[in-house]
Amino acid sequence: MDLIDTLSPPLPALERPWAHRLRGSETLWEIARGIGGGPFHVIHPATFSENLGGMVAALAAERVEGTVYYGKKANKAAAWLRECTRPGTGVDVASVPELVHALGNGLRGETIGVTGAAKPDGLLWLALRHRCLIAVDAADELERVARMAAELGETAQVLLRVRPPSAPESRFGFAPGALKEAVRQCAEPVVLRGFSFHLDGYDPVPRAELAAYLIDLCQDARALGHPASKISIGGGIAVSYVDAEDWARFESGRHDGWFHAGRNPVRTYPYHQSPTGAAMVTAILRHQIAGKPLADLLRAAGIELLLEPGRALVDGAGFSVFPVLGCKPAEGHLITTVAGLSMSLSEQWKGSEFLPDPLLVPREAREATDGTPVRTVVGGSSCMEYDVLTWRAVELPARPRTGDLLVYPNTAGYQMDKNESGFHQLPLPPKVVVDGDHWHVDTDYPIQEIR
């Protein structure tokens, strides 16, 4: 099914003011020339800092002690890490390179959480040496942590990850019986600091209710002599990419005829949600448990709440730019080919679709007769039929030309590098840090830049 029979309604992205200004500025073209003709990602640490500050403030507003750990897997840039050195913040990692990267950008081990299942010995060794908070996933891992801590002469600070009652089939966390045994096994040199969980979906209610259950677990552990005073509710803090009316209109009419080759994805991210970001944190804290807000229960029990958001902290903090290589007709639409690969928009390589509309930035002003809107899909520059950045036919204000730019808004959350690849020996798109009219390529260990 190659014929696109109707044009889907638009899905304009919600953009932050900095991104809108940069798209219309000469600075964007300066960056494009400096990069040398390939795709690149633009990131804005000031927006990350604003998002992070909002979540810290949401905890403070409800008088709840806690820490906001940036879920580093959402985006690999070093620039975010330097924003996580303020009080009440930290970084969540799940590999040796992630931990080394955080340490190299000024994070102290005590402000780093180490998660993930069945961690390798190298990661546990480094985490113990730097006194990180380790979320233990299984009994055999707990045994390894205890043995290694004793050998190193270190004290292991641990959370025990709880398997959610709503997901008994999950491969992560301790089932109830195993959890009780794990609590009993926590003894010198292992210090049980509390419990953690992760939930699928973006609903504040089940997070609040499971958090209340973890408060009870902490109190039971204290009765056994453990200083359990922390619970982590993981990530899953919601983000909205488009407004409610546009998303409802799109979802109500969606059909195969909007998509090249009929590639209408079965599942996509919910591109409009509410509440989001710091407002969702507030909703979690204000949810009533037996007639009392969760925040009251946390304060009364002396429990610190830990968050591990990723996507929500980089919301609005970046976009991706692909230079146009060519444009040709198909049945009922155009096919625009850009430099780079669709792996730089990770949804495309999960059998899904990154749905917010791309934006055309022409290299030069169009003549009045050349401004007719067109509908196009967007393909990558590889030899693979499925290397498509946008299967949905989207409307652009004019036919793209070689040298124009296509901008995909709000891609910092997972899209930029979750599935990146050097296929065809193409270089990975660099990340460009912007601050007003100033820009530089993100560097891993910028100690020389510190003044």
Side-chain angles (χ1 to χ4, degrees):
M1 181 178 181
D2 291 329
L3 179 64
I4 291 181
D5 54 14
T6 56
L7 185 66
S8 75
L11 279 175
L14 301 172
E15 285 189 285
R16 303 292 176 96
W18 75 269
H20 187 268
R21 286 194 300 269
L22 184 60
R23 278 197 295 105
S25 73
E26 177 58 29
T27 302
L28 185 67
W29 290 102
E30 180 184 312
I31 295 170
R33 290 190 294 270
I35 295 305
F40 58 93
H41 305 298
V42 175
I43 62 175
H44 193 243
T47 294
F48 178 94
S49 180
E50 179 183 326
N51 294 337
L52 182 62
M55 291 196 192
V56 172
L59 291 173
E62 305 303 316
R63 295 179 290 125
V64 170
E65 296 292 327
T67 301
V68 180
Y69 293 89
Y70 167 52
K72 192 180 184 306
K73 62 183 179 292
N75 192 295
K76 300 174 186 174
W80 319 123
L81 300 178
R82 271 105 64 191
E83 302 296 328
C84 297
T85 57
R86 70 176 79 173
T89 68
V91 174
D92 168 54
V93 305
S95 71
V96 169
E98 285 188 339
L99 178 49
V100 169
H101 201 199
L103 292 169
N105 279 274
L107 274 293
R108 295 191 177 100
E110 293 88 345
T111 64
I112 298 174
V114 179
T115 59
K119 302 165 196 64
D121 284 349
L123 177 57
L124 293 178
W125 182 89
L126 193 61
L128 288 166
R129 290 289 296 157
H130 287 276
R131 299 176 176 84
C132 303
L133 183 63
I134 303 171
V136 174
D137 189 76
D140 60 346
E141 183 172 83
L142 184 60
E143 292 171 3
R144 287 193 294 128
V145 168
R147 182 175 66 252
M148 194 174 296
E151 291 169 354
L152 292 172
E154 299 284 358
T155 299
Q157 312 290 330
V158 307
L159 304 177
L160 297 180
R161 181 168 174 173
V162 176
R163 184 176 300 169
S166 61
E169 74 289 348
S170 174
R171 68 187 183 93
F172 299 112
F174 288 90
L179 183 65
K180 291 181 181 179
E181 180 60 27
V183 170
R184 286 193 292 268
Q185 290 178 351
C186 287
E188 191 66 32
V190 175
V191 177
L192 177 57
R193 291 298 179 189
F195 300 89
S196 69
F197 67 81
H198 290 258
L199 290 178
D200 289 337
Y202 305 94
D203 187 346
V205 172
R207 284 171 171 77
E209 293 182 349
L210 191 48
Y213 171 64
L214 265 59
I215 293 174
D216 292 340
L217 291 182
C218 283
Q219 292 175 326
D220 291 344
R222 287 173 181 174
L224 297 174
H226 301 288
S229 62
K230 301 176 187 289
I231 63 173
S232 173
I233 64 171
I237 304 300
V239 168
S240 275
Y241 290 80
V242 300
D243 74 23
E245 290 185 6
D246 288 337
W247 183 240
R249 187 180 304 115
F250 178 86
E251 282 289 85
S252 65
R254 187 209 293 226
H255 66 96
D256 294 354
W258 291 351
F259 296 81
H260 180 68
R263 288 284 294 267
N264 181 2
V266 175
R267 293 183 62 189
T268 66
Y269 185 85
Y271 283 94
H272 178 81
Q273 303 182 81
S274 181
T276 62
M280 180 172 168
V281 175
T282 300
I284 293 168
L285 293 171
R286 292 183 179 178
H287 180 70
Q288 298 281 318
I289 310 289
K292 291 186 177 180
L294 175 64
D296 288 1
L297 302 180
L298 291 166
R299 286 197 307 273
I303 300 291
E304 298 177 51
L305 186 69
L306 313 183
L307 310 173
E308 300 167 15
R311 188 194 300 258
L313 289 181
V314 293
D315 180 27
F319 60 76
S320 299
V321 182
F322 296 86
V324 173
L325 296 179
C327 185
K328 66 180 182 182
E331 295 187 54
H333 60 285
L334 300 174
I335 296 177
T336 300
T337 301
V338 296
L341 303 171
S342 58
M343 280 180 278
S344 295
L345 288 178
S346 72
E347 294 295 333
Q348 268 61 0
W349 286 72
K350 297 193 304 182
S352 189
E353 176 96 340
F354 185 71
L355 286 172
D357 294 342
L359 302 162
L360 178 67
V361 182
R363 183 173 58 177
E364 54 193 25
R366 297 289 196 257
E367 297 83 358
T369 58
D370 200 21
T372 303
V374 299
R375 55 185 181 181
T376 186
V377 300
V378 183
S381 57
S382 82
C383 61
M384 298 300 183
E385 192 73 58
Y386 49 78
D387 182 16
V388 175
L389 283 77
T390 301
W391 292 91
R392 178 174 66 95
V394 294
E395 185 172 271
L396 298 178
R399 182 185 178 112
R401 293 180 178 176
T402 302
D404 290 347
L405 302 177
L406 273 185
V407 172
Y408 282 81
N410 202 3
T411 55
Y414 291 107
Q415 301 307 315
M416 290 183 177
D417 52 24
K418 183 179 179 183
N419 289 62
E420 65 186 4
S421 168
F423 188 56
H424 279 315
Q425 293 186 282
L426 293 172
L428 300 180
K431 293 188 179 70
V432 177
V433 181
V434 295
D435 179 9
D437 293 330
H438 302 285
W439 63 274
H440 66 272
V441 175
D442 185 66
T443 51
D444 279 347
Y445 304 106
I447 302 303
Q448 67 275 11
E449 297 177 8
I450 303 301
R451 296 290 185 267

